[in-house]
Amino acid sequence: MERLFIFLYQYRAFFTFLVLELFCAWLVVENNQYQGAKFYNSSNTVVASLNNVSQNIRDYFLLRDVNTSLAEENAQLRKQLEHDNQRLQILDDTVAIKDSVLITRFDFVSAKVVNNQVDRFKNFITLDKGNDAGLEPGMAVISSSGVVGKVKAVSSHYSVVTSLLNIDVMVSGLLKRTGHFGSIQWSGKDPDRINFMYIPRHVKPVVGDTVVTSGYSAVFPEGVMIGTVDEVSLRDEALWYELKVKLSQDFRKLAFVTIVKSQMKHEQDSIEQVVKEMEE
Amino acid sequence: MNRVSILQILSFFIYLFYQVLILQNVVLAHTAFCFLYVAYLLMLPVETPPLTLMGIGFLMGFAVDMFYESIGLHAFACVLIMYLRNFWLNSVTPQGGYDSNASPSLAMSGTQWFLIYAMPLVFVHHCALFFMEAGGFRMFGFTLWKAILSTLFTMVVILIAEFLFPGRRR
């Protein structure tokens, strides 16, 4: 026993090294789980408020861009509102909508970006809204020009979002013109472009085709813009196209985002769960 | 608690906040990152015991991780180079050995020695960091390229900082 202690003491540097490295590796693996409320991230109040100060300084240099994009969004929204109003007028005369749940299926909360990353393999975004605004892990985050990501962790006033620019994230996408759906995943290199996979051979996608969310996952509302096809390639023996999509949202200029609260996500998830269990 | 250790603690926070508040936003061409905080770890006094070195490395890495949203990554890389540091210091001992209480900086033994000492450690740190972040060797070429460019960028910034504030932490 004594020999063992002497041995351990002699090589204490090496053993401390091992223990610390194993602990770090465990933290990394634990953190890689796609979702989860963790304390040690930038939704932690001290870290987030420091980030907030730093972002406030950066904001001054982005003011012009932000103003322009907000004005554009305003115009767009006003146009859409007018459009929908007119349609409702017509609908009201013919049918009465029975299920009010369907109308209020999605609820929207606006938030400011406090910290944003685009250059790493796994990018995250910190927002200035948290639990108190009703945010929960798993909610979708979009902006006026496209999909942004999915809420990962929430504290009382801040939240961390897994950006679409994260090699672990997969989103279901739809080729709008033909109606075929596939998966969207980032390759880790170019923050402007993203891969669109599993479009079968017989489809003929062309450069410029629009890609939107498919709504199969119930996280994102259907038809949110992702981007436009930028590059089409098909290897001779491949089953699927390799498509590159140019993102409609410039992630480097992200300033304000909208969080989508899906009222019916639980319902869809639970009924799908039941079907899965029945099949097993 | 003497004057030297107070200065050390102070510069720990200066390096940390400079890294997470300013250098976090500095990325060249989406590939070259600057992790200046590694310089603090490299320039701790020569005779610091290995356990203290690893402890400080872990604390620094963990604090940076909180801001970088990558818990464990930087801590892992820092503990790794802190473990390797003393072995490396022993094998690149300059002529006449180390003075007591010296810190392995540019001012101690000149640019050439400093590059030989710091460059490999910074490279190991960046490799550990980027390969763990990529989750393996799937994108080997690109990740290695990232590590090489970032090593060069970090070294340039460390050298500039050393020339601007020579011998500040001796």
Side-chain angles (χ1 to χ4, degrees):
Chain A
M1 199 65 193
E2 200 191 329
R3 295 270 291 276
L4 179 69
F5 282 126
I6 292 172
F7 172 76
L8 283 179
Y9 186 72
Q10 245 171 1
Y11 293 96
R12 61 192 185 282
F14 180 68
F15 286 117
T16 324
F17 169 69
L18 266 189
V19 168
L20 279 177
E21 291 296 57
L22 283 176
F23 179 62
C24 293
W26 176 76
L27 280 177
V28 171
V29 172
E30 190 76 351
N31 193 45
N32 271 352
Q33 314 281 304
Y34 187 56
Q35 262 179 39
K38 294 276 182 300
F39 175 71
Y40 295 113
N41 57 35
S42 63
S43 71
N44 163 342
T45 319
V46 183
V47 176
S49 50
L50 268 171
N51 274 332
N52 211 349
V53 172
S54 133
Q55 179 67 29
N56 278 341
I57 296 167
R58 249 174 295 150
D59 272 351
Y60 282 103
F61 302 102
L62 285 171
L63 270 183
R64 185 185 296 265
D65 282 335
V66 172
N67 263 342
T68 330
S69 78
L70 283 180
E72 270 167 17
E73 191 187 350
N74 256 345
Q76 181 69 32
L77 288 176
R78 197 160 295 162
K79 206 171 93 188
Q80 199 179 347
L81 184 70
E82 202 53 44
H83 187 78
D84 287 354
N85 268 344
Q86 300 221 330
R87 265 217 310 228
L88 263 184
Q89 208 86 65
I90 304 166
L91 273 177
D92 252 357
D93 301 339
T94 49
V95 282
I97 299 169
K98 292 262 169 55
D99 199 346
S100 66
V101 180
L102 271 180
I103 301 172
T104 57
R105 185 173 165 189
F106 292 108
D107 196 7
F108 299 91
V109 181
S110 169
K112 187 166 159 269
V113 173
V114 172
N115 192 25
N116 183 20
Q117 315 164 335
V118 294
D119 299 304
R120 317 228 305 267
F121 290 125
K122 292 169 186 170
N123 293 302
F124 295 94
I125 300 162
T126 315
L127 305 179
D128 72 340
K129 289 272 168 63
N131 244 338
D132 53 351
L135 267 62
E136 273 168 37
M139 285 177 174
V141 182
I142 60 176
S143 75
S144 55
S145 42
V147 171
V148 172
K150 197 170 167 186
V151 177
K152 182 185 189 218
V154 177
S155 74
S156 56
H157 295 97
Y158 294 95
S159 56
V160 175
V161 174
T162 323
S163 166
L164 196 59
L165 302 182
N166 186 315
I167 53 175
D168 291 339
V169 172
M170 244 195 198
V171 172
S172 174
L174 182 87
L175 203 59
K176 204 175 177 187
R177 188 171 57 85
T178 64
H180 289 86
F181 64 93
S183 295
I184 295 275
Q185 196 175 25
W186 192 47
S187 66
K189 289 177 189 170
D190 186 352
D192 286 327
R193 294 156 97 210
I194 199 159
N195 292 342
F196 188 28
M197 304 172 294
Y198 308 133
I199 290 295
R201 280 192 84 97
H202 64 271
V203 189
K204 299 270 175 288
V206 293
V207 172
D209 274 354
T210 311
V211 180
V212 296
T213 55
S214 75
Y216 282 143
S217 66
V219 175
F220 290 103
E222 214 173 319
V224 179
M225 183 76 171
I226 293 173
T228 50
V229 175
D230 194 33
E231 193 186 307
V232 180
S233 63
L234 179 64
R235 280 198 223 134
D236 278 344
E237 64 287 344
L239 290 173
W240 292 293
Y241 278 94
E242 283 169 25
L243 300 177
K244 292 249 189 282
V245 172
K246 190 175 186 322
L247 288 165
S248 54
Q249 167 66 48
D250 186 349
F251 276 74
R252 275 162 289 189
K253 285 183 183 162
L254 217 53
F256 287 93
V257 294
T258 309
I259 297 108
V260 184
K261 292 201 235 173
S262 170
Q263 312 285 10
M264 283 158 80
K265 182 176 188 305
H266 290 301
E267 203 173 322
Q268 184 169 347
D269 281 352
S270 60
I271 195 157
E272 281 172 1
Q273 194 63 37
V274 169
V275 173
K276 259 185 214 158
E277 277 166 11
M278 272 160 66
E279 287 192 339
E280 272 166 10
Chain B
M1 203 66 151
N2 51 20
R3 189 169 153 270
V4 177
S5 52
I6 290 174
L7 275 180
Q8 287 288 3
I9 292 169
L10 203 67
S11 56
F12 178 94
F13 285 105
I14 292 174
Y15 272 96
L16 173 64
F17 287 122
Y18 194 68
Q19 179 67 44
V20 296
L21 294 181
I22 294 171
L23 288 177
Q24 195 179 0
N25 307 311
V26 181
V27 181
L28 300 183
H30 305 299
T31 39
F33 294 74
C34 177
F35 298 112
L36 182 66
Y37 74 92
V38 179
Y40 172 80
L41 301 175
L42 293 180
M43 284 184 249
L44 287 167
V46 174
E47 75 274 22
T48 321
L51 291 187
T52 320
L53 276 181
M54 282 189 275
I56 294 175
F58 181 77
L59 282 183
M60 180 61 111
F62 199 80
V64 171
D65 274 330
M66 298 260 277
F67 287 86
Y68 270 68
E69 207 60 59
S70 59
I71 214 64
L73 267 185
H74 286 264
F76 185 93
C78 287
V79 173
L80 180 66
I81 59 161
M82 284 297 93
Y83 180 67
L84 296 177
R85 194 188 99 133
N86 277 11
F87 298 108
W88 187 236
L89 265 181
N90 285 336
S91 45
V92 295
T93 314
Q95 261 182 346
Y98 300 106
D99 300 337
S100 64
N101 222 359
S103 68
S105 63
L106 191 70
M108 188 183 88
S109 293
T111 316
Q112 201 189 350
W113 180 86
F114 183 72
L115 280 180
I116 293 172
Y117 161 66
M119 196 94 121
L121 288 177
V122 171
F123 183 64
V124 168
H125 174 271
H126 287 16
C127 277
L129 196 67
F130 289 129
F131 279 109
M132 280 192 80
E133 196 194 1
F137 300 100
R138 264 182 300 166
M139 293 176 278
F140 187 80
F142 180 66
T143 315
L144 193 67
W145 180 233
K146 233 174 159 175
I148 292 170
L149 281 184
S150 304
T151 306
L152 292 178
F153 187 26
T154 305
M155 282 314 295
V156 168
V157 175
I158 290 178
L159 285 182
I160 292 172
E162 279 293 280
F163 279 121
L164 279 179
F165 309 102
R168 170 187 39 139
R169 295 179 49 229
R170 292 195 69 188

